[in-house]
Amino acid sequence: MTTKSSAPIVGIDLGDRKHADCVLSPDGELLEESKIGTTRESLALLSQKYPAATIAMEVGMMSP
């Protein structure tokens, strides 16, 4: 039995100066796109805004 989540999905592309984030509804609808700072506080605020979300991060060579 498969159940569908009602939680959003947050994708984060980590960068050296700014992180780009994208929030999708469970149906794939774009809810928000923004850039945030590279601090723990910025990431904490994003995760607090979407507490039940699944979060996926992409990290490249430019991420500290």
Side-chain angles (χ1 to χ4, degrees):
M1 176 185 195
T2 303
T3 58
K4 187 172 180 178
S5 172
S6 62
I9 301 158
V10 177
I12 305 172
D13 183 2
L14 299 179
D16 59 341
R17 294 189 178 104
K18 292 279 184 183
H19 300 324
D21 66 89
C22 175
V23 183
L24 302 176
S25 73
D27 296 324
E29 177 187 352
L30 179 63
L31 300 176
E32 178 182 346
E33 235 179 336
S34 67
K35 295 197 184 286
I36 61 172
T38 59
T39 64
R40 287 180 188 232
E41 292 80 13
S42 295
L43 290 169
L45 287 172
L46 180 63
S47 65
Q48 289 169 5
K49 188 173 180 180
Y50 300 99
T54 298
I55 298 176
M57 288 193 243
E58 184 278 328
V59 180
M61 290 180 13
M62 298 303 290
S63 301

